[in-house]
Amino acid sequence: MAYYRAVGDVPPKRHTQHRDPEGRLYYEELMGEEGFSSDSSLLYHRGVPSAIVASEVWELPDQTRTPNHPLQPRHLKLHDLETGADAVRDRRLVLGNNDVRIGYVVTGTDPSPYYRNAIGDECVYVETGSGTVETVFGVLSYRAGDYVIVPRATTHRWVPSEPSRLYPIEANSHVAPPKRYLSRYGQLLEHAPYCERDLHGPSEPFLVEGADVEVLVKHRTSAGVVGTRMVYATHPFDVVGWDGCLYPYTFNIDDYMPITGKVHQPPPVHQVFEGHNFVVCNFLPRKVDYHELAIPVPYYHSNVDSDEVMFYVGGDYEARKGSGIGLGSISLHPGGHAHGPQPSAIEASLGVEYFEESAVMVDTFAPLDLGEGGLAVEDPAYAWTWAGRGPDGGDSPAVFSNS
Ligand SMILES: [Fe+2]
């Protein structure tokens, strides 16, 4: 993210001697994306950032992926998912492919281990709860409705001040604002639904003393996603200052200004971030279409090139009553199969001026597999709710879908 920030004690000239009050040199580290060819920051450490004294296997939770075959729309009830209480180790895999993994965890109030994701950026949506995320760049506060963006390879830990429902979107790439909202030099443009004032990065250094500190590292090998526990000779939170355009930050959905139209606007107007082969959108409370003959709910749409994942996080879902979709639900509408509202929902939406709803959407360009966590809380009746009957016959309720 090309938005310069400077925190703490940095020397006036990069790559020059920078010393503590006793005259000891700090150790300069460049964290840079795409080799040395994209956004980066320079960090000044008290200790040597590469000094490890041990490295051993960290067994990740079950990363099994099951193909969506036979092809079906799916409804996964995340509030029924039992998880352990650790924000990092107890994430259960809900959906995933080779570009992104979506998990879910309900934390307690104990801090997570120190952790970094060496595969890609993390975009963690905070469904409920609050606390802090301590990082080598400083501390972020988080609250419900935040996206917490943690760049790849950033050592951090979660410190919930209350139990928190977290929805980690783990990329195999970087996560950034949509390119079309950025100037050629990276500033958010006037037509963007948010701006730099809405992005909250660390504001001061965060220093911790310590020796032989464990850090869990998630990384990739030819065997897939794996974990390693590395032990550092000195505490990784030893950065006295840093500057640059690469750092963690938060963005809250309340600061997203929805773009509305005279007739129905397609999901790209709700986009907030993008990664490689996927996008993140949020559907938020807003005035809806104001043409005198407008149909506020969407037309049927066939996602020719993408799978669509809606996570329903707030608002009034009376219109979906009986469909099984509710707060904490995920719907997966896969590519190659049309979806949309039932005719009765279309009629019911006519004349409506405001939608009171919040949902976070991930659209992927490659098909998503089901994780073990997703399979554990699937509502098997969902696929048949448009027709009102499935292979077993019987009645099924109407479905009202706003995406
Ligand atoms: Fe949709």
Side-chain angles (χ1 to χ4, degrees), residues 315-393:
D316 179 5
Y317 287 91
E318 280 298 304
R320 289 194 183 88
K321 207 167 187 178
S323 74
I325 296 276
L327 291 179
S329 287
I330 275 184
S331 59
L332 167 65
H333 296 137
H337 174 67
H339 69 274
Q342 273 211 339
S344 61
I346 297 172
E347 291 285 349
S349 77
L350 302 182
V352 171
E353 295 185 350
Y354 197 83
F355 277 171
E356 188 68 55
E357 63 173 20
S358 299
V360 171
M361 183 174 86
V362 176
D363 267 18
T364 65
F365 291 124
L368 283 161
D369 296 333
L370 292 144
E372 61 80 28
L375 283 173
V377 290
E378 184 176 9
D379 170 8
Y382 181 65
W384 327 119
T385 51
W386 285 268
R389 61 186 172 86
D392 301 325

Side-chain angles (χ1 to χ4, degrees), residues 14-341:
R14 62 184 174 180
H15 318 320
T16 60
Q17 296 174 32
H18 185 31
R19 297 180 183 275
D20 70 12
E22 280 73 50
R24 289 175 297 225
L25 279 171
Y26 291 122
Y27 300 95
E28 185 184 53
E29 175 198 9
L30 177 84
M31 272 188 72
E33 297 177 346
E34 299 176 22
F36 296 85
S37 304
S38 189
D39 295 348
S40 64
S41 285
L42 285 166
L43 296 80
Y44 295 89
H45 294 268
R46 286 173 170 165
V48 177
S50 51
I52 54 171
V53 297
S55 175
E56 57 197 42
V57 171
W58 163 38
E59 292 290 352
L60 294 181
D62 190 349
Q63 298 293 299
T64 305
R65 286 165 26 194
T66 302
N68 184 10
H69 183 218
L71 189 67
Q72 282 181 25
R74 309 272 181 168
H75 171 203
L76 314 175
K77 302 169 81 167
L78 292 194
H79 285 184
D80 290 349
L81 190 60
E82 300 277 335
T83 76
D86 188 272
V88 167
R89 287 174 299 186
D90 291 325
R91 296 176 182 182
R92 291 185 69 176
L93 184 63
V94 176
L95 294 162
N97 61 23
N98 290 336
D99 302 312
V100 64
R101 295 172 305 285
I102 297 172
Y104 194 67
V105 61
V106 185
T107 77
T109 52
D110 289 337
S112 77
Y114 296 104
Y115 163 70
R116 67 172 176 269
N117 186 325
I119 301 173
D121 294 356
E122 293 195 351
C123 169
V124 181
Y125 180 75
V126 179
E127 183 190 0
T128 60
S130 62
T132 59
V133 181
E134 300 172 350
T135 83
V136 288
F137 294 91
V139 178
L140 304 172
S141 294
Y142 76 82
R143 62 190 169 98
D146 273 350
Y147 295 100
V148 181
I149 306 292
V150 184
R152 181 178 187 173
T154 299
T155 303
H156 66 284
R157 72 171 183 171
W158 287 78
V159 186
S161 54
E162 59 182 331
S164 302
R165 291 183 174 273
L166 305 179
Y167 183 70
I169 302 163
E170 300 180 8
N172 284 14
S173 58
H174 297 300
V175 174
K179 276 196 181 63
R180 68 180 182 282
Y181 289 141
L182 300 173
S183 76
R184 62 181 148 150
Y185 299 115
Q187 183 178 6
L188 284 157
L189 293 167
E190 277 296 307
H191 70 293
Y194 59 95
C195 77
E196 285 82 358
R197 294 181 197 178
D198 304 318
L199 310 178
H200 304 288
S203 56
E204 56 188 32
F206 183 61
L207 295 160
V208 181
E209 298 285 342
D212 293 349
V213 178
E214 285 190 357
V215 177
L216 302 182
V217 182
K218 187 177 288 181
H219 59 110
R220 263 193 309 181
T221 69
S222 58
V225 178
V226 297
T228 292
R229 180 182 290 103
M230 304 181 97
V231 182
Y232 283 78
T234 54
H235 204 292
F237 291 174
D238 65 349
V239 173
V240 298
W242 60 271
D243 75 337
C245 296
L246 178 67
Y247 51 85
Y249 62 93
T250 65
F251 171 72
N252 194 277
I253 56 170
D254 286 346
D255 290 324
Y256 190 94
M257 300 293 110
I259 297 168
T260 58
K262 192 166 183 178
V263 295
H264 190 78
Q265 297 297 294
V269 302
H270 304 288
Q271 188 182 351
V272 57
F273 296 116
E274 64 189 12
H276 177 66
N277 275 347
F278 76 93
V279 298
V280 180
C281 304
N282 36 218
F283 296 79
L284 299 170
R286 63 194 180 281
K287 285 190 171 184
V288 292
D289 325 334
Y290 51 89
H291 188 285
E292 64 273 21
L293 296 176
I295 299 175
V297 293
Y299 34 81
Y300 290 89
H301 47 290
S302 178
N303 301 340
V304 174
D305 291 319
S306 60
D307 276 19
E308 176 189 299
V309 181
M310 292 281 278
F311 178 34
Y312 303 89
V313 298
D316 179 5
Y317 287 91
E318 280 298 304
R320 289 194 183 88
K321 207 167 187 178
S323 74
I325 296 276
L327 291 179
S329 287
I330 275 184
S331 59
L332 167 65
H333 296 137
H337 174 67
H339 69 274

